[in-house]
Amino acid sequence: MATHTITTQWGEIPENADDLALVQGGAFRTFRCECGIPLPTRVAAELHATETNQCTACLGSADDEVVPGFVRRCAACAATGRRNVQLVWELAHSEAEQVITLGLVRGLVDGFTGPFRLSEVADATRMALGLPVGRLPVGPRVRDLLRELEAAGELVMLSAPDELLRGPSVVLYKDPQWQRVPEPS
């Protein structure tokens, strides 16, 4: 039985690198599987991971190296490295998109009189829907909707990034804080 451990090697990253291509696009890295199958691109690595029942996000490692030196547990497969768990989470994310609506989050945010944290809105959402912890990926969905409200000018983020992963262009927020923008008088 062949071992299918897929590893990632980072190449030289130029100073003017496209940060979106770096973080999400699989740029500036190469891939290798212990079984010897050539994996010249991220797509080839993902296809091989699928064929060997491994998570296509972390390629079976259970870790996600966002940029060189910053590793976090893979959220796509709940840090298992397995494809079947990843598929369950993808379905849960789709269900969360249907159940946790912009209107619901906007209504919950309207109940806060001052600044509020992502975790507070996620907890309020979970309570409003009667969801047990771990039933759906509430936090990531609420985060996306809060960012949407921020982009629409309804909220302003008050938090500074917790970590700069690649200067000011790739940052990490752990539990960001927002505030509603007052209505014009």
Side-chain angles (χ1 to χ4, degrees):
M1 180 177 216
T3 302
H4 295 283
T5 303
I6 300 172
T7 56
T8 304
Q9 292 86 35
W10 287 90
E12 185 67 31
I13 302 171
E15 286 297 317
N16 64 345
D18 178 351
D19 291 318
L20 191 57
L22 173 68
V23 175
Q24 295 178 351
F28 311 108
R29 48 196 114 156
T30 58
F31 307 92
R32 183 178 177 302
C33 183
E34 280 187 18
C35 73
I37 291 179
L39 304 171
T41 64
R42 174 75 192 191
V43 172
E46 288 178 11
L47 286 172
H48 187 61
T50 300
E51 293 165 353
T52 58
N53 197 30
Q54 297 181 88
C55 173
T56 58
C58 67
L59 305 175
S61 71
D63 289 323
D64 180 22
E65 190 169 14
V66 180
V67 294
F70 181 75
V71 179
R72 62 181 175 191
R73 302 303 282 168
C74 182
C77 65
T80 64
R82 307 306 302 159
R83 179 79 174 135
N84 57 345
V85 177
Q86 179 188 15
L87 293 174
V88 169
W89 271 108
E90 285 176 7
L91 288 173
H93 277 272
S94 294
E95 184 179 348
E97 288 178 5
Q98 300 300 311
V99 175
I100 304 170
T101 64
L102 186 61
L104 172 69
V105 171
R106 182 181 283 127
L108 292 170
V109 164
D110 285 345
F112 289 97
T113 57
F116 54 87
R117 295 199 168 281
L118 167 60
S119 58
E120 294 171 316
V121 181
D123 289 343
T125 301
R126 198 175 288 108
M127 284 181 52
L129 295 173
L131 296 171
V133 174
R135 168 67 181 86
L136 290 177
V138 175
R141 175 63 178 159
V142 168
R143 177 205 59 221
D144 292 346
L145 292 173
L146 291 174
R147 295 304 305 255
E148 192 173 320
L149 291 170
E150 179 186 356
E154 295 180 42
L155 301 177
V156 63
M157 184 182 280
L158 304 176
S159 297
D162 291 299
E163 291 187 53
L164 301 175
L165 304 180
R166 187 173 149 76
S169 60
V170 180
V171 298
L172 176 71
Y173 295 95
K174 293 183 180 169
D175 191 12
Q177 188 175 46
W178 283 272
Q179 183 170 330
R180 287 183 299 139
V181 173
E183 296 286 327
S185 27

